[in-house]
């Protein structure tokens, strides 16, 4: 009887130990999953890349990031701020990357490493449809053109008019820059051709393209030049290649831009 009781106690202890061990493994796994957080910044005002719809952050850039993060086992923590604010947080290490039409430039490559291109944006100028006398880039000379402070498109605008033939007015947000050209307070507005076409088509904006694009940019994800940054960059590149090969990137481009030409450097029509 005593031996039988001892056996029962031993079996109970083994069962309890096994349960505790399994619980510990589950807790470790849960903690590991929770610790895999990807901090991503965006303006939330960059249709169709990242914008709010019924209070929810959506868009091409948003879906690309969340698809990659999900497959890598990361939970995305989004931070929204104006573009210059995002740059400051990225430089301070408060963000892992930025998903907001972030263009790779020679100057930015001094600070960050960049993933493979996941979109190409041609810099384009638009004007109000009421401006019948503005049909070409030359017609903008002596006029004022708006753009977002710190954006590559403003830099491209300066390069397109090296003799300061146009006055450049910068804004903290894209809405401010666009509203002023719609209301004819400025005579031009510079941004990405795919973005402009998407906005004009969806919102029926009274804007028209002026001349040909003045450049063609590569949109990528920037990461810090650190061991953690290099690890994330390699993971992102692997998943971007998969998304391109399995057609997911193409499907997202068609969903938000109406064309997959934005993936290949072509003009989205």
């Amino acid at each position: 009887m005593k031996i039988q009781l001892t056996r029962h106690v031993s079996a109970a202890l083994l069962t309890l130990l096994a349960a505790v061990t399994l619980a510990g493994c589950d807790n470790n796994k849960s903690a590991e999953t929770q610790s895999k957080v990807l901090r991503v910044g965006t303006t939330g005002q960059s249709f169709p890349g990242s914008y709010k719809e019924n209070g929810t952050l959506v868009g091409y850039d948003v879906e690309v990031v969340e698809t990659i993060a999900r497959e890598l086992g990361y939970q995305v923590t989004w931070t929204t701020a104006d573009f210059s604010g995002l740059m400051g947080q990225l430089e301070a290490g408060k963000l892992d990357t930025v998903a907001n039409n972030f263009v790779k430039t020679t100057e930015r490559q001094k600070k960050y490493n960049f993933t493979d291109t996941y979109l190409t944006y041609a810099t384009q100028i638009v004007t109000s449809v009421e401006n019948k006398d503005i049909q070409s880039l030359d017609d903008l000379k002596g006029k004022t053109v708006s753009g977002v402070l710190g954006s590559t498109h403003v830099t491209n605008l300066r390069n397109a008019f090296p003799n300061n033939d146009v006055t450049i007015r910068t804004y903290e947000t894209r809405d401010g820059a666009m509203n002023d050209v719609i209301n004819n307070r400025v005579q031009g507005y510079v941004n990405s051709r795919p973005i402009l076409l998407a906005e004009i088509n969806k919102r029926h904006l009274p804007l028209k393209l002026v001349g040909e694009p003045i450049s063609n940019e590569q949109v990528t994800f920037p990461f810090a030049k650190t061991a953690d940054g290099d690890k994330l960059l390699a993971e992102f590149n692997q998943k971007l290649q998969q998304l391109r090969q399995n057609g997911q990137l193409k499907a997202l481009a068609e969903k938000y831009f109406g064309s997959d030409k934005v993936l290949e450097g072509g003009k989205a029509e």
Side-chain angles (χ1 to χ4, degrees):
M1 180 76 174
K2 191 172 184 179
I3 294 173
Q4 186 177 1
L5 181 60
T6 302
R7 285 176 179 170
H8 283 310
V9 171
S10 298
L13 285 172
L14 287 172
T15 302
L16 181 60
L17 284 171
V20 170
T21 301
L22 286 171
C25 290
D26 288 341
N27 287 336
N28 289 338
K29 189 179 293 184
S30 175
E32 181 182 351
T33 301
Q34 291 175 1
S35 67
K36 291 191 68 172
V37 174
L38 185 69
R39 303 167 302 165
V40 186
T42 190
T43 63
Q45 297 179 336
S46 297
F47 175 84
S50 69
Y51 60 102
K52 295 288 184 69
E53 194 170 79
N54 299 322
T56 301
L57 191 64
V58 297
Y60 176 79
D61 294 62
V62 173
E63 282 208 48
V64 171
V65 166
E66 292 189 339
T67 300
I68 291 174
R70 184 168 56 250
E71 295 194 6
L72 291 173
Y74 287 97
Q75 180 179 349
V76 180
T77 299
W78 289 99
T79 295
T80 55
D82 59 61
F83 191 79
S84 57
L86 293 177
M87 292 295 292
Q89 292 189 61
L90 184 62
E91 290 179 17
K94 295 179 180 179
L95 294 175
D96 294 312
T97 191
V98 168
N100 200 88
N101 312 328
F102 202 94
V103 171
K104 179 171 69 174
T105 66
T106 302
E107 190 63 28
R108 288 173 177 173
Q109 282 180 293
K110 296 175 183 177
K111 293 183 179 180
Y112 309 106
N113 290 325
F114 291 85
T115 63
D116 296 335
T117 303
Y118 70 96
L119 196 63
T120 56
Y121 274 12
T123 298
Q124 177 74 51
I125 301 174
V126 295
T127 190
S128 168
V129 293
E130 296 178 6
N131 292 326
K132 308 298 183 183
D133 58 334
I134 299 179
Q135 304 293 336
S136 68
L137 295 178
D138 282 341
D139 296 332
L140 287 168
K141 291 180 179 179
K143 306 292 194 303
T144 300
V145 179
S146 63
V148 178
L149 180 67
S151 76
T152 306
H153 300 298
V154 170
T155 301
N156 293 337
L157 178 61
R158 288 196 181 97
N159 293 336
F161 295 91
N163 297 322
N164 299 319
D165 294 320
V166 301
T167 298
I168 300 173
R169 186 178 298 175
T170 56
Y171 299 70
E172 289 289 341
T173 67
R174 194 165 71 183
D175 285 346
M178 186 184 301
N179 285 336
D180 269 9
V181 74
I182 290 173
N183 294 308
N184 226 0
R185 288 190 283 265
V186 298
Q187 292 72 53
Y189 165 54
V190 67
N191 207 322
S192 152
R193 182 183 174 105
I195 283 180
L196 292 168
L197 288 171
E199 288 181 323
I200 290 170
N201 291 333
K202 182 173 183 178
R203 303 178 185 181
H204 306 291
L205 299 178
L207 298 173
K208 64 179 181 180
L209 305 184
V210 180
E212 292 298 315
I214 57 178
S215 72
N216 203 36
E217 312 295 339
Q218 295 181 334
V219 178
T220 63
F221 297 110
F223 288 97
K225 293 186 175 184
T226 62
D228 288 341
D230 290 343
K231 176 177 178 293
L232 284 170
L233 185 144
E235 290 176 337
F236 261 59
N237 272 342
Q238 181 187 22
K239 290 303 175 184
L240 280 172
Q241 184 177 5
Q242 289 180 9
L243 294 182
R244 195 178 297 275
Q245 290 175 345
N246 65 22
Q248 284 181 272
L249 214 56
K250 178 178 184 292
L252 288 175
E254 290 175 339
K255 174 181 178 180
Y256 287 103
F257 298 101
S259 170
D260 66 341
K261 292 181 180 179
V262 292
L263 301 177
E264 306 300 335
K267 300 171 185 175
E269 299 295 348

